[in-house]
Amino acid sequence: MATMYAAASASSMLVARPRLAKSSINCSAGLPYLPPRPSVSSFSTSIRNYPESSSRFSTLRVKAEETSSGSVEVNDIVEDLKEKWDALENKSTVLIYGGGGLVALWLSTVVVGAINSVPLLPKIMELVGLGYTGWFVYRYLLFKSSRKELASDIESLKKKIAGTTE
Protein backbone atom coordinates (compact mmCIF):
# COMPACT_ATOMS: atom_id res chain seq x y z
CA MET A 1 0.00 0.00 0.00
CA ALA A 2 2.89 2.28 0.73
CA THR A 3 4.32 1.72 -2.73
CA MET A 4 0.96 2.54 -4.28
CA TYR A 5 0.78 5.80 -2.31
CA ALA A 6 4.34 6.68 -3.31
CA ALA A 7 3.61 6.04 -7.00
CA ALA A 8 0.44 8.16 -6.82
CA SER A 9 2.23 11.00 -5.07
CA ALA A 10 5.09 10.85 -7.59
CA SER A 11 2.69 11.11 -10.51
CA SER A 12 0.88 14.00 -8.87
CA MET A 13 4.18 15.72 -8.34
CA LEU A 14 4.92 15.57 -12.04
CA VAL A 15 1.59 17.17 -12.90
CA ALA A 16 1.67 19.74 -10.12
CA ARG A 17 5.01 21.32 -10.97
CA PRO A 18 4.94 25.10 -11.24
CA ARG A 19 4.57 26.75 -14.64
CA LEU A 20 6.45 29.81 -15.78
CA ALA A 21 4.49 33.00 -16.22
CA LYS A 22 4.05 34.12 -19.83
CA SER A 23 5.71 37.45 -19.11
CA SER A 24 8.95 35.73 -18.12
CA ILE A 25 9.29 33.87 -21.45
CA ASN A 26 11.22 35.81 -24.09
CA CYS A 27 10.33 34.32 -27.49
CA SER A 28 12.06 36.95 -29.60
CA ALA A 29 15.50 36.73 -28.07
CA GLY A 30 17.36 37.12 -31.39
CA LEU A 31 14.97 39.52 -33.12
CA PRO A 32 15.36 43.30 -33.10
CA TYR A 33 12.73 45.50 -31.53
CA LEU A 34 10.23 46.92 -34.03
CA PRO A 35 8.28 50.08 -33.26
CA PRO A 36 4.48 49.85 -33.39
CA ARG A 37 2.80 50.57 -36.70
CA PRO A 38 1.54 54.11 -37.23
CA SER A 39 -2.19 54.43 -37.40
CA VAL A 40 -3.97 55.41 -40.59
CA SER A 41 -5.03 58.71 -39.09
CA SER A 42 -1.39 59.80 -38.69
CA PHE A 43 -0.92 59.93 -42.46
CA SER A 44 -1.71 63.24 -44.07
CA THR A 45 -3.05 63.71 -47.54
CA SER A 46 -2.57 66.79 -49.63
CA ILE A 47 -4.27 67.73 -52.85
CA ARG A 48 -2.44 70.00 -55.22
CA ASN A 49 -4.24 72.12 -57.73
CA TYR A 50 -2.56 72.16 -61.13
CA PRO A 51 -3.51 74.68 -63.78
CA GLU A 52 -5.58 73.27 -66.62
CA SER A 53 -2.91 74.20 -69.14
CA SER A 54 -0.49 71.85 -67.44
CA SER A 55 1.16 69.49 -69.90
CA ARG A 56 1.19 66.68 -67.33
CA PHE A 57 -2.54 66.07 -67.69
CA SER A 58 -3.03 66.83 -71.37
CA THR A 59 -2.59 63.15 -72.25
CA LEU A 60 -5.13 62.21 -69.60
CA ARG A 61 -7.72 64.46 -71.19
CA VAL A 62 -7.05 62.94 -74.59
CA LYS A 63 -7.39 59.42 -73.21
CA ALA A 64 -10.66 60.32 -71.52
CA GLU A 65 -11.98 61.55 -74.84
CA GLU A 66 -10.81 58.37 -76.53
CA THR A 67 -12.74 56.19 -74.10
CA SER A 68 -15.94 58.08 -74.75
CA SER A 69 -15.50 57.59 -78.50
CA GLY A 70 -14.65 53.92 -77.79
CA SER A 71 -18.16 53.35 -76.45
CA VAL A 72 -19.58 54.54 -79.77
CA GLU A 73 -17.39 51.98 -81.54
CA VAL A 74 -18.72 49.25 -79.27
CA ASN A 75 -22.28 50.19 -80.18
CA ASP A 76 -21.34 50.10 -83.86
CA ILE A 77 -19.80 46.66 -83.42
CA VAL A 78 -22.91 45.35 -81.63
CA GLU A 79 -25.18 46.72 -84.36
CA ASP A 80 -22.95 45.21 -87.06
CA LEU A 81 -23.04 41.82 -85.33
CA LYS A 82 -26.85 42.00 -85.06
CA GLU A 83 -27.11 42.73 -88.78
CA LYS A 84 -24.81 39.84 -89.65
CA TRP A 85 -26.74 37.48 -87.33
CA ASP A 86 -30.04 38.45 -88.94
CA ALA A 87 -28.53 37.93 -92.42
CA LEU A 88 -27.44 34.35 -91.61
CA GLU A 89 -29.49 31.57 -93.17
CA ASN A 90 -28.11 28.64 -91.15
CA LYS A 91 -28.11 29.91 -87.58
CA SER A 92 -28.16 26.37 -86.24
CA THR A 93 -24.91 25.59 -88.06
CA VAL A 94 -23.22 28.58 -86.45
CA LEU A 95 -24.46 27.48 -83.03
CA ILE A 96 -23.21 23.93 -83.63
CA TYR A 97 -19.78 25.20 -84.71
CA GLY A 98 -19.66 27.52 -81.68
CA GLY A 99 -20.61 24.67 -79.33
CA GLY A 100 -18.01 22.45 -81.00
CA GLY A 101 -15.42 25.16 -80.48
CA LEU A 102 -16.27 25.36 -76.78
CA VAL A 103 -16.06 21.57 -76.44
CA ALA A 104 -12.68 21.59 -78.23
CA LEU A 105 -11.44 24.32 -75.88
CA TRP A 106 -12.58 22.33 -72.84
CA LEU A 107 -11.00 19.15 -74.19
CA SER A 108 -7.70 20.91 -74.86
CA THR A 109 -7.58 22.22 -71.28
CA VAL A 110 -8.17 18.67 -70.02
CA VAL A 111 -5.34 17.35 -72.22
CA VAL A 112 -2.96 20.11 -71.12
CA GLY A 113 -3.85 19.42 -67.48
CA ALA A 114 -3.11 15.72 -67.98
CA ILE A 115 0.23 16.51 -69.63
CA ASN A 116 1.07 18.90 -66.78
CA SER A 117 0.48 16.19 -64.20
CA VAL A 118 3.09 13.86 -65.75
CA PRO A 119 6.50 14.53 -64.18
CA LEU A 120 9.19 15.95 -66.49
CA LEU A 121 6.87 16.12 -69.51
CA PRO A 122 5.97 19.83 -69.06
CA LYS A 123 9.68 20.75 -69.05
CA ILE A 124 10.25 18.75 -72.23
CA MET A 125 7.29 20.53 -73.84
CA GLU A 126 8.76 23.88 -72.80
CA LEU A 127 12.05 22.92 -74.47
CA VAL A 128 10.22 21.88 -77.64
CA GLY A 129 8.35 25.20 -77.66
CA LEU A 130 11.54 27.14 -77.08
CA GLY A 131 13.25 25.27 -79.90
CA TYR A 132 10.36 25.91 -82.29
CA THR A 133 10.32 29.59 -81.35
CA GLY A 134 14.04 29.84 -82.05
CA TRP A 135 13.60 28.13 -85.42
CA PHE A 136 10.69 30.41 -86.33
CA VAL A 137 12.67 33.52 -85.47
CA TYR A 138 15.66 32.29 -87.49
CA ARG A 139 13.52 31.18 -90.43
CA TYR A 140 11.07 34.07 -90.73
CA LEU A 141 12.06 37.09 -88.64
CA LEU A 142 15.84 37.40 -88.73
CA PHE A 143 16.35 38.39 -92.37
CA LYS A 144 14.49 40.97 -94.43
CA SER A 145 13.74 38.64 -97.36
CA SER A 146 12.26 36.01 -95.05
CA ARG A 147 10.08 38.66 -93.35
CA LYS A 148 8.69 39.59 -96.78
CA GLU A 149 8.05 35.90 -97.47
CA LEU A 150 6.18 35.58 -94.16
CA ALA A 151 4.08 38.66 -94.92
CA SER A 152 3.13 37.30 -98.34
CA ASP A 153 2.25 33.90 -96.81
CA ILE A 154 0.02 35.63 -94.25
CA GLU A 155 -1.70 37.68 -96.94
CA SER A 156 -2.37 34.59 -99.08
CA LEU A 157 -3.77 32.80 -96.02
CA LYS A 158 -6.05 35.79 -95.30
CA LYS A 159 -7.33 35.70 -98.88
CA LYS A 160 -7.95 31.95 -98.65
CA ILE A 161 -9.93 32.34 -95.43
CA ALA A 162 -11.91 35.32 -96.63
CA GLY A 163 -12.64 33.60 -99.93
CA THR A 164 -11.30 36.38 -102.13
CA THR A 165 -9.04 35.24 -104.95
CA GLU A 166 -7.40 37.58 -107.37
Side-chain angles (χ1 to χ4, degrees):
M1 181 120 179
T3 57
M4 206 184 267
Y5 177 73
S9 66
S11 66
S12 65
M13 288 174 72
L14 290 175
V15 174
R17 69 184 170 146
R19 294 184 178 223
L20 296 174
K22 294 221 181 224
S23 62
S24 66
I25 298 174
N26 187 3
C27 293
S28 62
L31 298 176
Y33 172 75
L34 294 175
R37 289 179 148 182
S39 65
V40 177
S41 62
S42 68
F43 290 112
S44 64
T45 59
S46 63
I47 299 174
R48 296 181 185 171
N49 292 326
Y50 290 105
E52 288 195 24
S53 63
S54 173
S55 63
R56 286 175 65 175
F57 297 108
S58 63
T59 57
L60 292 177
R61 278 187 248 125
V62 171
K63 286 183 181 179
E65 291 171 7
E66 287 177 351
T67 57
S68 65
S69 65
S71 64
V72 173
E73 292 175 7
V74 170
N75 290 334
D76 291 340
I77 292 172
V78 169
E79 289 175 8
D80 188 37
L81 286 175
K82 283 181 183 178
E83 289 174 7
K84 287 184 180 183
W85 180 255
D86 291 337
L88 283 176
E89 294 177 9
N90 296 329
K91 294 179 183 176
S92 61
T93 306
V94 173
L95 292 176
I96 290 172
Y97 279 136
L102 289 176
V103 168
L105 180 66
W106 171 78
L107 190 62
S108 65
T109 58
V110 168
V111 169
V112 168
I115 288 173
N116 257 347
S117 66
V118 176
L120 204 66
L121 199 56
K123 295 296 179 186
I124 292 172
M125 292 298 203
E126 283 183 26
L127 287 175
V128 168
L130 187 62
Y132 183 77
T133 303
W135 173 83
F136 185 84
V137 166
Y138 176 75
R139 172 69 176 90
Y140 289 111
L141 302 177
L142 200 56
F143 304 108
K144 188 174 184 179
S145 60
S146 61
R147 285 193 297 265
K148 288 181 182 179
E149 179 187 350
L150 177 64
S152 66
D153 287 347
I154 291 173
E155 288 301 319
S156 67
L157 184 63
K158 281 182 187 178
K159 288 178 184 177
K160 247 188 225 181
I161 291 172
T164 59
T165 57
E166 292 179 12

PDB file of all heavy atoms in Angstrom, residues 42-62:
ATOM      1  N   SER A  42      -2.603  58.984 -38.777  1.00  0.00           N
ATOM      2  CA  SER A  42      -1.395  59.801 -38.690  1.00  0.00           C
ATOM      3  C   SER A  42      -0.871  60.200 -40.062  1.00  0.00           C
ATOM      4  O   SER A  42      -0.026  61.077 -40.163  1.00  0.00           O
ATOM      5  CB  SER A  42      -0.310  59.049 -37.913  1.00  0.00           C
ATOM      6  OG  SER A  42       0.119  57.930 -38.666  1.00  0.00           O
ATOM      7  N   PHE A  43      -1.350  59.548 -41.125  1.00  0.00           N
ATOM      8  CA  PHE A  43      -0.918  59.926 -42.463  1.00  0.00           C
ATOM      9  C   PHE A  43      -1.710  61.148 -42.909  1.00  0.00           C
ATOM     10  O   PHE A  43      -2.903  61.254 -42.686  1.00  0.00           O
ATOM     11  CB  PHE A  43      -1.147  58.788 -43.460  1.00  0.00           C
ATOM     12  CG  PHE A  43      -0.224  57.638 -43.245  1.00  0.00           C
ATOM     13  CD1 PHE A  43      -0.707  56.428 -42.798  1.00  0.00           C
ATOM     14  CD2 PHE A  43       1.135  57.760 -43.490  1.00  0.00           C
ATOM     15  CE1 PHE A  43       0.139  55.362 -42.600  1.00  0.00           C
ATOM     16  CE2 PHE A  43       1.985  56.692 -43.303  1.00  0.00           C
ATOM     17  CZ  PHE A  43       1.491  55.496 -42.857  1.00  0.00           C
ATOM     18  N   SER A  44      -1.018  62.052 -43.578  1.00  0.00           N
ATOM     19  CA  SER A  44      -1.713  63.241 -44.070  1.00  0.00           C
ATOM     20  C   SER A  44      -1.794  63.175 -45.585  1.00  0.00           C
ATOM     21  O   SER A  44      -0.904  62.670 -46.246  1.00  0.00           O
ATOM     22  CB  SER A  44      -0.958  64.505 -43.648  1.00  0.00           C
ATOM     23  OG  SER A  44       0.314  64.526 -44.253  1.00  0.00           O
ATOM     24  N   THR A  45      -2.881  63.666 -46.091  1.00  0.00           N
ATOM     25  CA  THR A  45      -3.045  63.715 -47.539  1.00  0.00           C
ATOM     26  C   THR A  45      -3.105  65.168 -47.953  1.00  0.00           C
ATOM     27  O   THR A  45      -3.640  66.018 -47.256  1.00  0.00           O
ATOM     28  CB  THR A  45      -4.344  63.005 -47.963  1.00  0.00           C
ATOM     29  OG1 THR A  45      -5.435  63.653 -47.318  1.00  0.00           O
ATOM     30  CG2 THR A  45      -4.312  61.544 -47.594  1.00  0.00           C
ATOM     31  N   SER A  46      -2.526  65.423 -49.105  1.00  0.00           N
ATOM     32  CA  SER A  46      -2.574  66.785 -49.626  1.00  0.00           C
ATOM     33  C   SER A  46      -2.984  66.728 -51.084  1.00  0.00           C
ATOM     34  O   SER A  46      -2.564  65.850 -51.827  1.00  0.00           O
ATOM     35  CB  SER A  46      -1.210  67.466 -49.487  1.00  0.00           C
ATOM     36  OG  SER A  46      -0.257  66.787 -50.262  1.00  0.00           O
ATOM     37  N   ILE A  47      -3.810  67.643 -51.475  1.00  0.00           N
ATOM     38  CA  ILE A  47      -4.274  67.731 -52.848  1.00  0.00           C
ATOM     39  C   ILE A  47      -3.705  69.009 -53.434  1.00  0.00           C
ATOM     40  O   ILE A  47      -3.889  70.093 -52.887  1.00  0.00           O
ATOM     41  CB  ILE A  47      -5.813  67.747 -52.913  1.00  0.00           C
ATOM     42  CG1 ILE A  47      -6.358  66.448 -52.313  1.00  0.00           C
ATOM     43  CG2 ILE A  47      -6.285  67.933 -54.329  1.00  0.00           C
ATOM     44  CD1 ILE A  47      -7.849  66.423 -52.188  1.00  0.00           C
ATOM     45  N   ARG A  48      -3.018  68.833 -54.562  1.00  0.00           N
ATOM     46  CA  ARG A  48      -2.440  70.005 -55.220  1.00  0.00           C
ATOM     47  C   ARG A  48      -3.295  70.378 -56.411  1.00  0.00           C
ATOM     48  O   ARG A  48      -3.755  69.527 -57.155  1.00  0.00           O
ATOM     49  CB  ARG A  48      -1.021  69.700 -55.697  1.00  0.00           C
ATOM     50  CG  ARG A  48      -0.063  69.414 -54.582  1.00  0.00           C
ATOM     51  CD  ARG A  48       1.289  69.158 -55.150  1.00  0.00           C
ATOM     52  NE  ARG A  48       2.204  68.760 -54.090  1.00  0.00           N
ATOM     53  CZ  ARG A  48       3.412  68.305 -54.289  1.00  0.00           C
ATOM     54  NH1 ARG A  48       3.862  68.181 -55.517  1.00  0.00           N
ATOM     55  NH2 ARG A  48       4.182  67.972 -53.289  1.00  0.00           N
ATOM     56  N   ASN A  49      -3.486  71.628 -56.589  1.00  0.00           N
ATOM     57  CA  ASN A  49      -4.237  72.121 -57.735  1.00  0.00           C
ATOM     58  C   ASN A  49      -3.260  72.502 -58.834  1.00  0.00           C
ATOM     59  O   ASN A  49      -2.389  73.347 -58.654  1.00  0.00           O
ATOM     60  CB  ASN A  49      -5.085  73.333 -57.365  1.00  0.00           C
ATOM     61  CG  ASN A  49      -6.207  72.953 -56.431  1.00  0.00           C
ATOM     62  OD1 ASN A  49      -6.736  71.859 -56.535  1.00  0.00           O
ATOM     63  ND2 ASN A  49      -6.565  73.842 -55.527  1.00  0.00           N
ATOM     64  N   TYR A  50      -3.385  71.843 -59.981  1.00  0.00           N
ATOM     65  CA  TYR A  50      -2.556  72.155 -61.129  1.00  0.00           C
ATOM     66  C   TYR A  50      -3.378  72.987 -62.096  1.00  0.00           C
ATOM     67  O   TYR A  50      -4.577  72.769 -62.253  1.00  0.00           O
ATOM     68  CB  TYR A  50      -2.101  70.875 -61.832  1.00  0.00           C
ATOM     69  CG  TYR A  50      -1.110  70.087 -61.021  1.00  0.00           C
ATOM     70  CD1 TYR A  50      -1.486  68.920 -60.367  1.00  0.00           C
ATOM     71  CD2 TYR A  50       0.209  70.503 -60.926  1.00  0.00           C
ATOM     72  CE1 TYR A  50      -0.584  68.189 -59.632  1.00  0.00           C
ATOM     73  CE2 TYR A  50       1.123  69.773 -60.185  1.00  0.00           C
ATOM     74  CZ  TYR A  50       0.724  68.627 -59.546  1.00  0.00           C
ATOM     75  OH  TYR A  50       1.622  67.905 -58.824  1.00  0.00           O
ATOM     76  N   PRO A  51      -2.754  73.918 -62.779  1.00  0.00           N
ATOM     77  CA  PRO A  51      -3.506  74.680 -63.779  1.00  0.00           C
ATOM     78  C   PRO A  51      -3.944  73.762 -64.920  1.00  0.00           C
ATOM     79  O   PRO A  51      -3.301  72.757 -65.208  1.00  0.00           O
ATOM     80  CB  PRO A  51      -2.506  75.732 -64.256  1.00  0.00           C
ATOM     81  CG  PRO A  51      -1.174  75.212 -63.880  1.00  0.00           C
ATOM     82  CD  PRO A  51      -1.375  74.350 -62.672  1.00  0.00           C
ATOM     83  N   GLU A  52      -5.052  74.112 -65.567  1.00  0.00           N
ATOM     84  CA  GLU A  52      -5.580  73.267 -66.624  1.00  0.00           C
ATOM     85  C   GLU A  52      -4.685  73.233 -67.843  1.00  0.00           C
ATOM     86  O   GLU A  52      -4.766  72.344 -68.662  1.00  0.00           O
ATOM     87  CB  GLU A  52      -6.980  73.739 -67.018  1.00  0.00           C
ATOM     88  CG  GLU A  52      -7.992  73.420 -65.954  1.00  0.00           C
ATOM     89  CD  GLU A  52      -9.391  73.546 -66.481  1.00  0.00           C
ATOM     90  OE1 GLU A  52      -9.581  73.421 -67.694  1.00  0.00           O
ATOM     91  OE2 GLU A  52     -10.278  73.786 -65.677  1.00  0.00           O
ATOM     92  N   SER A  53      -3.808  74.197 -67.996  1.00  0.00           N
ATOM     93  CA  SER A  53      -2.911  74.200 -69.141  1.00  0.00           C
ATOM     94  C   SER A  53      -1.665  73.373 -68.874  1.00  0.00           C
ATOM     95  O   SER A  53      -0.740  73.382 -69.660  1.00  0.00           O
ATOM     96  CB  SER A  53      -2.511  75.642 -69.479  1.00  0.00           C
ATOM     97  OG  SER A  53      -1.793  76.188 -68.375  1.00  0.00           O
ATOM     98  N   SER A  54      -1.648  72.651 -67.782  1.00  0.00           N
ATOM     99  CA  SER A  54      -0.487  71.846 -67.436  1.00  0.00           C
ATOM    100  C   SER A  54      -0.315  70.724 -68.457  1.00  0.00           C
ATOM    101  O   SER A  54      -1.264  70.067 -68.851  1.00  0.00           O
ATOM    102  CB  SER A  54      -0.672  71.243 -66.038  1.00  0.00           C
ATOM    103  OG  SER A  54       0.374  70.347 -65.777  1.00  0.00           O
ATOM    104  N   SER A  55       0.902  70.514 -68.885  1.00  0.00           N
ATOM    105  CA  SER A  55       1.162  69.488 -69.900  1.00  0.00           C
ATOM    106  C   SER A  55       1.140  68.088 -69.295  1.00  0.00           C
ATOM    107  O   SER A  55       1.092  67.116 -70.010  1.00  0.00           O
ATOM    108  CB  SER A  55       2.505  69.749 -70.561  1.00  0.00           C
ATOM    109  OG  SER A  55       3.546  69.635 -69.602  1.00  0.00           O
ATOM    110  N   ARG A  56       1.193  67.987 -67.976  1.00  0.00           N
ATOM    111  CA  ARG A  56       1.186  66.680 -67.333  1.00  0.00           C
ATOM    112  C   ARG A  56      -0.143  65.963 -67.544  1.00  0.00           C
ATOM    113  O   ARG A  56      -0.196  64.752 -67.650  1.00  0.00           O
ATOM    114  CB  ARG A  56       1.430  66.807 -65.835  1.00  0.00           C
ATOM    115  CG  ARG A  56       2.861  67.129 -65.495  1.00  0.00           C
ATOM    116  CD  ARG A  56       3.035  67.356 -64.037  1.00  0.00           C
ATOM    117  NE  ARG A  56       2.767  66.128 -63.275  1.00  0.00           N
ATOM    118  CZ  ARG A  56       2.948  66.043 -61.982  1.00  0.00           C
ATOM    119  NH1 ARG A  56       3.369  67.094 -61.302  1.00  0.00           N
ATOM    120  NH2 ARG A  56       2.707  64.928 -61.346  1.00  0.00           N
ATOM    121  N   PHE A  57      -1.231  66.689 -67.605  1.00  0.00           N
ATOM    122  CA  PHE A  57      -2.536  66.071 -67.688  1.00  0.00           C
ATOM    123  C   PHE A  57      -3.174  66.185 -69.068  1.00  0.00           C
ATOM    124  O   PHE A  57      -4.304  65.783 -69.254  1.00  0.00           O
ATOM    125  CB  PHE A  57      -3.473  66.680 -66.638  1.00  0.00           C
ATOM    126  CG  PHE A  57      -2.995  66.414 -65.234  1.00  0.00           C
ATOM    127  CD1 PHE A  57      -2.456  67.420 -64.461  1.00  0.00           C
ATOM    128  CD2 PHE A  57      -3.079  65.146 -64.712  1.00  0.00           C
ATOM    129  CE1 PHE A  57      -2.012  67.170 -63.180  1.00  0.00           C
ATOM    130  CE2 PHE A  57      -2.640  64.883 -63.433  1.00  0.00           C
ATOM    131  CZ  PHE A  57      -2.101  65.895 -62.663  1.00  0.00           C
ATOM    132  N   SER A  58      -2.450  66.709 -70.046  1.00  0.00           N
ATOM    133  CA  SER A  58      -3.033  66.825 -71.375  1.00  0.00           C
ATOM    134  C   SER A  58      -3.272  65.451 -71.983  1.00  0.00           C
ATOM    135  O   SER A  58      -4.257  65.233 -72.665  1.00  0.00           O
ATOM    136  CB  SER A  58      -2.134  67.665 -72.277  1.00  0.00           C
ATOM    137  OG  SER A  58      -0.885  67.016 -72.430  1.00  0.00           O
ATOM    138  N   THR A  59      -2.371  64.500 -71.728  1.00  0.00           N
ATOM    139  CA  THR A  59      -2.587  63.154 -72.255  1.00  0.00           C
ATOM    140  C   THR A  59      -3.755  62.484 -71.563  1.00  0.00           C
ATOM    141  O   THR A  59      -4.460  61.687 -72.167  1.00  0.00           O
ATOM    142  CB  THR A  59      -1.333  62.299 -72.076  1.00  0.00           C
ATOM    143  OG1 THR A  59      -0.989  62.273 -70.700  1.00  0.00           O
ATOM    144  CG2 THR A  59      -0.186  62.834 -72.888  1.00  0.00           C
ATOM    145  N   LEU A  60      -3.989  62.799 -70.300  1.00  0.00           N
ATOM    146  CA  LEU A  60      -5.125  62.205 -69.602  1.00  0.00           C
ATOM    147  C   LEU A  60      -6.442  62.682 -70.196  1.00  0.00           C
ATOM    148  O   LEU A  60      -7.378  61.920 -70.330  1.00  0.00           O
ATOM    149  CB  LEU A  60      -5.068  62.551 -68.116  1.00  0.00           C
ATOM    150  CG  LEU A  60      -3.928  61.922 -67.325  1.00  0.00           C
ATOM    151  CD1 LEU A  60      -3.964  62.417 -65.894  1.00  0.00           C
ATOM    152  CD2 LEU A  60      -4.022  60.421 -67.370  1.00  0.00           C
ATOM    153  N   ARG A  61      -6.498  63.958 -70.570  1.00  0.00           N
ATOM    154  CA  ARG A  61      -7.721  64.463 -71.189  1.00  0.00           C
ATOM    155  C   ARG A  61      -7.961  63.801 -72.537  1.00  0.00           C
ATOM    156  O   ARG A  61      -9.075  63.471 -72.877  1.00  0.00           O
ATOM    157  CB  ARG A  61      -7.647  65.977 -71.333  1.00  0.00           C
ATOM    158  CG  ARG A  61      -8.012  66.688 -70.057  1.00  0.00           C
ATOM    159  CD  ARG A  61      -8.098  68.172 -70.259  1.00  0.00           C
ATOM    160  NE  ARG A  61      -6.997  68.749 -69.515  1.00  0.00           N
ATOM    161  CZ  ARG A  61      -6.071  69.538 -69.986  1.00  0.00           C
ATOM    162  NH1 ARG A  61      -6.100  69.893 -71.245  1.00  0.00           N
ATOM    163  NH2 ARG A  61      -5.112  70.004 -69.245  1.00  0.00           N
ATOM    164  N   VAL A  62      -6.907  63.585 -73.289  1.00  0.00           N
ATOM    165  CA  VAL A  62      -7.053  62.939 -74.589  1.00  0.00           C
ATOM    166  C   VAL A  62      -7.523  61.512 -74.406  1.00  0.00           C
ATOM    167  O   VAL A  62      -8.406  61.044 -75.104  1.00  0.00           O
ATOM    168  CB  VAL A  62      -5.712  62.991 -75.367  1.00  0.00           C
ATOM    169  CG1 VAL A  62      -5.779  62.141 -76.610  1.00  0.00           C
ATOM    170  CG2 VAL A  62      -5.382  64.424 -75.715  1.00  0.00           C
TER     171      VAL A  62
END
